[in-house]
Amino acid sequence: MEDRCKTVQENLAVWQEEELPLEIRQQCDEHIAQCSRCRHAAEVQREVSKALRRLRQLHSGITPPPSLWRNVSKELKRRESHKQRMVQWQAAFASILAACLIIGGVWAKLNHSSAFPAEQTLQNYRQWYNSQSEPVYESRDPAAAAKWLSDHLHASVLPIDLSLSQAKLNGADVVQVGGVKMGRLLYLSGTAHLAIYVSPAHTEFRSLNKVTADGNKMRETSDKNHFTLFAWAANGDGYAVVSNAYNECETAAVDAERQTNLP
Amino acid sequence: MRFFEKSKRKEFEKLAKPYMKPLYQAALRMTRQREWAEDLVQDTLIRAYERMELFRAGTNFRAWLFTILTNNYLNDCERGRRRPLTTSFDVMGADGSIWEFPASEENDPVAVLMTHVLEEQLQNALDALADEFRLAVLLVDMEEMSYQEAADALNVPIGTIRSRVSRGRFQIRQYLGKQSEIEMR
Ligand SMILES: [Zn+2]
């Protein structure tokens, strides 16, 4: 086959179409005018294409059954409402999830591992007060008691000396208060029984409603037996002083708070 | 496509409904079976609706629909669920006996049209093509797709489409020639 014939045959399909670059089209036109074989091949292409288009014309009267569009439309509607339902479900699910997160967040904040269980501390004091049991570790030395507590709580506990508040240490023990392991120091000041609760890392209070002379915040709460609790956070630990006597309790709390808040 | 967010379905229906008829005719030409053609059109429109986001605005919506139709048809064939009524041209019997027009229901308007005396042979010649040539010829000569659009629909290079179309046309001519020889005998 001649080179020109080859070019023409390769482009036969599109010979008459706009798609062929003008240059090649002109080359084909020139060659076809001279070469009868290529002329015939081109003719076949054009004729068959024309015949097929005529056939297409004959088919133009064929219409799809009306049920076809109805079915399509029905299916599209079904899918649309399904999608809308999905969106609604997703929205509902998202709001439920958000609500859970909020509730969970509040719950977690209340029950946070770093929350100081003030109410349960008061309760623990009440139980102790009713039994007046002796502390496990008996000592009059605040430093020794602090060391004993440090060993048992696996945390560093500061010594709290309440001699300036006229309270004498009796000893220390370790108690479980509201699921939290705490150190408890027992003091006596006249007829007032004082207990200082030390809770490493439990420093959060629902509210702090009292301000000391130094500007530090405290929580004060009392129960119907007139037991009073003063609690505060200092240097990453939570503290509470609880007593059956309000004045002694307040004095001891201010004293202890100063010692724990030393820089 | 932001345009479709208002009511995607309504917009789609408005856009797609005019193509229902050409799609159906094309599906009939591909399958030559009415039931299959109806299923194809339905699947095509639903798939197009689901993939509306993939349609690039400003491109040819008709060609896009036909591309989906072609793919659906090829998928059906591939899965072996259905078989088009065609045989490779190369295995054509000399007496033309295997080219009997496929049986259709009586009084079927499609069948009546397709059995038109003069057009019947052309139709048979078309059906005798192997599917790769037949689809190329159908898309370009009967569905009015450009070579590029047909190449995209069949996922082959444009050169392949050109060669398939020209070879397909040749084979049709050849078939018709043989038929007339048989008739003249
Ligand atoms: Zn030539």
Side-chain angles (χ1 to χ4, degrees):
Chain A
M1 201 190 294
E2 210 182 297
D3 267 4
R4 278 288 159 84
C5 288
K6 217 172 152 195
T7 311
V8 169
Q9 310 266 332
E10 272 168 10
N11 294 297
L12 264 184
V14 285
W15 169 52
Q16 290 119 330
E17 325 257 339
E18 303 287 320
E19 289 186 27
L20 206 58
L22 192 65
E23 199 189 334
I24 297 173
R25 207 164 136 192
Q26 279 171 348
Q27 279 176 18
C28 286
D29 282 348
E30 280 168 25
H31 176 76
I32 280 164
Q34 298 160 7
C35 172
S36 63
R37 208 168 51 178
C38 285
R39 195 160 51 237
H40 175 70
E43 199 99 312
V44 167
Q45 292 291 310
R46 199 173 45 211
E47 290 286 297
V48 172
S49 180
K50 232 160 72 184
L52 288 170
R53 279 164 217 267
R54 269 204 310 276
L55 186 62
R56 180 179 191 273
Q57 276 305 112
L58 278 174
H59 293 173
S60 67
I62 300 170
T63 49
S67 63
L68 186 51
W69 179 254
R70 274 205 305 273
N71 291 344
V72 169
S73 193
K74 212 162 87 186
E75 179 61 20
L76 294 185
K77 253 181 227 154
R78 196 187 67 77
R79 281 173 190 241
E80 186 188 49
S81 61
H82 177 74
K83 236 172 251 167
Q84 282 165 352
R85 270 203 306 281
M86 288 297 285
V87 169
Q88 283 164 1
W89 273 108
Q90 278 163 4
F93 183 72
S95 3
I96 290 167
L97 193 70
C100 287
L101 284 174
I102 291 165
I103 291 166
V106 170
W107 186 258
K109 197 152 175 86
L110 288 176
N111 291 278
H112 197 264
S113 56
S114 64
F116 190 99
E119 300 302 323
Q120 286 102 318
T121 303
L122 253 180
Q123 206 181 324
N124 181 275
Y125 176 83
R126 198 159 57 234
Q127 279 164 4
W128 173 83
Y129 187 84
N130 291 336
S131 67
Q132 304 255 336
S133 60
E134 294 297 327
V136 172
Y137 179 76
E138 289 188 49
S139 170
R140 312 227 166 253
D141 179 7
K147 194 187 171 304
W148 187 85
L149 280 181
S150 297
D151 291 346
H152 285 76
L153 295 174
H154 309 291
S156 141
V157 176
L158 291 172
I160 299 172
D161 184 351
L162 294 182
S163 52
L164 285 175
S165 318
Q166 318 294 324
K168 279 179 218 141
L169 183 67
N170 260 346
D173 41 28
V174 172
V175 288
Q176 283 283 339
V177 179
V180 176
K181 202 175 176 190
M182 289 191 188
R184 183 174 65 184
L185 296 155
L186 295 164
Y187 301 80
L188 193 66
S189 171
T191 55
H193 294 275
L194 290 156
I196 295 184
Y197 292 81
V198 184
S199 177
H202 293 84
T203 53
E204 280 177 24
F205 297 94
R206 222 183 311 166
S207 67
L208 294 164
N209 48 8
K210 207 172 166 71
V211 183
T212 66
D214 294 337
N216 294 324
K217 285 180 173 174
M218 283 186 138
R219 172 165 178 78
E220 179 191 334
T221 186
S222 51
D223 68 5
K224 53 184 191 284
N225 300 314
H226 306 290
F227 296 156
T228 308
L229 172 142
F230 288 92
W232 68 95
N235 295 317
D237 295 327
Y239 297 91
V241 176
V242 192
S243 178
N244 58 326
Y246 182 86
N247 286 340
E248 282 81 354
C249 190
E250 189 183 36
T251 308
V254 170
D255 192 359
E257 194 272 330
R258 280 210 190 111
Q259 293 177 48
T260 56
N261 253 329
L262 284 175
Chain B
M1 248 183 96
R2 226 172 299 131
F3 176 59
F4 283 98
E5 274 165 21
K6 238 189 282 165
S7 170
K8 190 185 154 195
R9 181 181 59 84
K10 280 189 183 152
E11 291 296 339
F12 175 80
E13 284 187 2
K14 211 167 91 186
L15 202 61
K17 201 174 180 184
Y19 297 109
M20 180 85 170
K21 198 166 129 174
L23 276 175
Y24 180 65
Q25 290 171 359
L28 266 180
R29 283 190 276 267
M30 283 178 190
T31 64
R32 302 211 59 203
Q33 293 165 55
R34 200 155 52 163
E35 212 180 299
W36 186 4
E38 285 178 23
D39 288 350
L40 264 188
V41 171
Q42 189 164 336
D43 289 351
T44 298
L45 289 173
I46 287 161
R47 193 174 285 197
Y49 169 73
E50 294 289 353
R51 295 178 175 189
M52 205 57 218
E53 286 75 18
L54 297 176
F55 173 67
R56 278 167 294 137
T59 61
N60 189 342
F61 187 64
R62 187 183 189 276
W64 188 65
L65 287 179
F66 274 68
T67 299
I68 297 175
L69 179 81
T70 309
N71 283 320
N72 276 356
Y73 168 74
L74 289 173
N75 280 343
D76 277 359
C77 295
E78 228 169 71
R79 274 189 235 131
R81 263 209 327 235
R82 282 158 156 169
R83 220 163 46 80
L85 298 169
T86 58
T87 318
S88 171
F89 188 51
D90 302 331
V91 298
M92 184 189 72
D95 61 350
S97 59
I98 63 165
W99 304 119
E100 274 174 12
F101 201 82
S104 304
E105 293 162 52
E106 278 179 60
N107 300 323
D108 179 355
V110 179
V112 169
L113 264 171
M114 285 188 176
T115 49
H116 185 280
V117 179
L118 277 177
E119 309 303 336
E120 184 190 326
Q121 286 184 350
L122 181 58
Q123 185 67 61
N124 287 354
L126 191 58
D127 293 341
L129 296 181
D131 231 19
E132 56 178 24
F133 299 115
R134 198 172 67 96
L135 281 176
V137 168
L138 279 181
L139 293 182
V140 169
D141 277 337
M142 300 193 79
E143 315 309 347
E144 293 183 319
M145 282 171 94
S146 70
Y147 284 86
Q148 188 57 61
E149 286 166 348
D152 292 342
L154 292 169
N155 201 21
V156 293
I158 190 165
T160 306
I161 284 292
R162 283 183 184 147
S163 117
R164 283 184 190 174
V165 167
S166 76
R167 284 181 64 190
R169 287 174 184 160
F170 263 123
Q171 289 180 8
I172 289 174
R173 177 68 187 83
Q174 228 177 319
Y175 175 86
L176 293 173
K178 278 188 184 168
Q179 285 302 97
S180 54
E181 276 171 33
I182 292 162
E183 273 161 30
M184 293 211 297
R185 258 181 234 160

